[in-house]
Amino acid sequence: MATASLPAGCWPYTSPDAPHPLRHTAAECRRSRMIDLAHLRKDPAFFSKAWGDRGASVDVDGLLALDALVRELKTASESLKAEVNQASKSIAQAARSGGGAGAVDAAKERARQLGDQAKATDERRVALEQTLTDRLLLLPNPCHPAVPLGADSAANRVVDTWGQAPTFAFTPKAHYDLGPALGIIDFDRAAKLSGSGFVALRGAGARLSRALISWFLDVHTGTHGYVELAVPYLVQSKMMVGTGQLPKFADQFYACRDDDLVLIPTAEVPVTNLHAGEILEAEQLPVRYTAHTPCFRREAGAAGVGTRGMTRVHQFDKVEIVWLTTPERSDADLLSLRGHAETLLRQLGLHYRVLELCSGDTGFSSAHTYDLEVWSPGTSSWLEVSSCSTFGDFQARRAGLRYRAEKGGKPAFLHTLNGSALALPRCLIALLETYQLADGSVAIPAVLQPYLGGLARIGSCA
RNA sequence: GGAGAGGUGGCUGAGCGGUUGAAGGCGCUGGUUUCGAAAACCAGUUAAGGCGAAAGUCUUACGAGGGUUCGAAUCCCUCCCUCUCCGCCA
């Protein structure tokens, strides 16, 4: 890992005594991680193509050679260990039956030598296996066969569009003009507190944000049947390995200086990892959770491009929905999950479209992603308010999420899915811009009014 | 943060240097019995990985990591977590 180039305070954090999140413990190595190595051995061409479709060039032969060497050393050290164990048993017997001290000492010496050999062999194996693991953890999830091929966002496919762009008898304003004028969004004072890329909400703006969070959660728990969670916003960095943010995207989130804790970039991290290392029973599935959390993102390298206002901020609120499900139904579940996110936009009366991301634009951990983009009348652009993905067994492997298909059966990796439903700032943007009136006030959609004490219109609250 | 007590299989709970991957109990699975059920009895019941077509076999795991030893659940060190008391605090 090249750590020198990372900004201070960023993962890996600076405490010298801390465990390195990528130095897996023996217990963690015992679990299968990352991609399915057995599958890679059997069908390297599949992976070559899959990674190629994503624009990643991978030395598959090198991986296979390394894997073969690791297994060779493993076999060797294990048979040496077996000999040591045999020898130890006969020493015990000899000692018990009062055999000659000389014979026992000779046997001990032989066992010691075998033990040293086994240890040396195994140390080599551990080092090579760690190298292999480090490389495998950087490889993206192969895309689902349904994903359209393409190099970048230009190849994404618009699969649905709902509603129509609102029309105005006046020139609609952007949220970064509307909000401050109404006294409900304060960029300047947020920058004073935390620098650029932060936003403060005030009065009806703050309450509108809270109303959206409450309403989203109520719809998911009440209508869609999710279980609500309230989870930690700081997690150990190995959880970020579980969901795939680490090791590759270490520069994209905030870390603590003295503790192995990072601020979550999305609720996906704590919620998906909630059952990490567990074996669930088939009848428990699908597990469906929803959670509201703030999300913290450094957005390194994103400054300046279409980031005016609060379309891209370092801290924002989001309601997330997460499924742990079976491989048989995960494809269908992705559509259900996407539907749950879409429902919210429809009930808010916001014009939006659905994108099916192409192979080159699909996120590192995802196998298949739909983005929901809401229309921003003030800037005449589409804003991503949700990303709905199935990860196949990719995260399940990394996080150790398994289930038992039938009683007494072998545990197998389950499938994980998640989606934003929805991300707050861009919903606020779309609401303010879509429902703005000629006098600069903003109407409130009917579904939200009960959450705002009956407020139907936000006027100036300067 | 300080002091003490602990962390063993799905659960409970023994073991405190050598057939202990782990007694006993509970639960679970299959069988016997029964018209059926309960009870009783018998048998089985952790996971990961290597080799193997399979049967099987070997390795590893008693919170985690390291050490002592021919051999560690058992002894030593470090760390983590839980509980109790004290301190502090929303």
Side-chain angles (χ1 to χ4, degrees), chain A residues 67-217:
Chain A
D67 169 56
L69 186 52
V70 166
R71 282 185 299 151
E72 192 182 304
L73 290 171
K74 187 161 191 155
T75 307
S77 80
E78 284 184 357
S79 58
L80 283 167
K81 277 182 197 164
E83 284 190 65
V84 173
N85 289 343
Q86 275 305 113
S88 293
K89 275 184 193 165
S90 36
I91 291 170
Q93 279 173 358
R96 229 177 294 136
S97 61
V104 170
D105 283 348
K108 280 189 185 179
E109 182 53 31
R110 200 177 98 76
R112 185 177 309 144
Q113 283 174 6
L114 284 169
D116 288 347
Q117 273 185 60
K119 196 173 176 185
T121 308
D122 210 44
E123 275 168 3
R124 267 189 76 202
R125 190 217 95 214
V126 167
L128 288 174
E129 194 162 42
Q130 183 66 57
T131 304
L132 180 62
T133 299
D134 287 349
R135 288 170 66 178
L136 292 174
L137 281 172
L138 291 166
L139 300 176
N141 195 6
C143 285
H144 189 279
V147 172
L149 296 183
D152 54 43
S153 57
N156 293 341
R157 187 189 283 162
V158 178
V159 294
D160 196 15
T161 303
W162 188 88
Q164 290 188 329
T167 55
F168 300 87
F170 54 94
T171 305
K173 291 180 182 159
H175 74 281
Y176 42 77
D177 292 324
L178 274 171
L182 287 168
I184 62 173
I185 302 177
D186 193 334
F187 294 107
D188 297 339
R189 293 192 179 91
K192 177 171 72 181
L193 294 171
S194 307
S196 72
F198 289 88
V199 63
L201 300 177
R202 179 171 182 272
R207 189 163 189 190
L208 179 57
S209 176
R210 182 161 55 90
L212 282 166
I213 292 165
S214 294
W215 177 65
F216 290 168
L217 288 170

Side-chain angles (χ1 to χ4, degrees), chain A residues 357-379:
Chain A
L357 300 192
C358 74
S359 56
D361 205 30
T362 298
F364 176 81
S365 301
S366 173
H368 190 186
T369 298
Y370 292 102
D371 276 1
L372 306 186
E373 295 188 330
V374 73
W375 181 247
S376 158
T379 62

Side-chain angles (χ1 to χ4, degrees), chain A residues 285-314:
Chain A
L285 301 179
V287 171
R288 306 195 305 147
Y289 289 129
T290 184
H292 155 247
T293 69
C295 302
F296 304 91
R297 301 185 181 181
R298 294 189 64 245
E299 302 291 357
V305 189
T307 57
R308 184 160 180 208
M310 58 176 182
T311 53
R312 187 179 294 278
V313 284
H314 293 308

